[in-house]
Amino acid sequence: FPHWVPAPVEADQSRSGEINGPLAIDGEMLLLARRDSNWFAVDAACPVDGADLSGASLSGFTLSCPAHAGCHYDIRAGKRIGGGPDLGCHPVKTDERGRVLVGLDMDFQPALPSF
């Protein structure tokens, strides 16, 4: 059933551009990335072949897979840049106590800017 799970990171102790993880969150292996005041949670395995995304880099909103040259994902929606399988994304919010909460087993709606 859909539920929110506290992540093992503190909202005020992570910097913009930083990737946390892989983290085991309620049985899921995820990466948490922060860009400015926004948090993003993505699966910790590359959808190309399941390669571990430990050591992935973040530039803007682009996550680069360390195992595959040219394999880049937009963390806002999980879309692979240039086409191919998408990276799984999960909703994230912070609560009044500064905890980062990850939504599991719920629909993900990307919040992309409109032009």
Side-chain angles (χ1 to χ4, degrees), residues 3-4 10 14 38 45-47 49-50 53 62-63 65-66 70-71 82 86-87 89 96 98 101 103 108 110-111 114:
H3 58 289
W4 293 97
E10 295 294 327
S14 185
N38 299 306
C46 183
D49 62 2
L53 288 174
T62 303
L63 179 84
C65 175
C71 191
D86 294 338
L87 187 60
C89 293
E96 64 282 348
L101 305 172
F108 173 75
S114 58

Side-chain angles (χ1 to χ4, degrees), residues 94-109:
T94 55
D95 69 7
E96 64 282 348
R97 296 190 292 174
R99 296 183 306 170
V100 177
L101 305 172
V102 178
L104 297 177
D105 300 319
M106 59 179 68
D107 291 335
F108 173 75
Q109 297 294 323

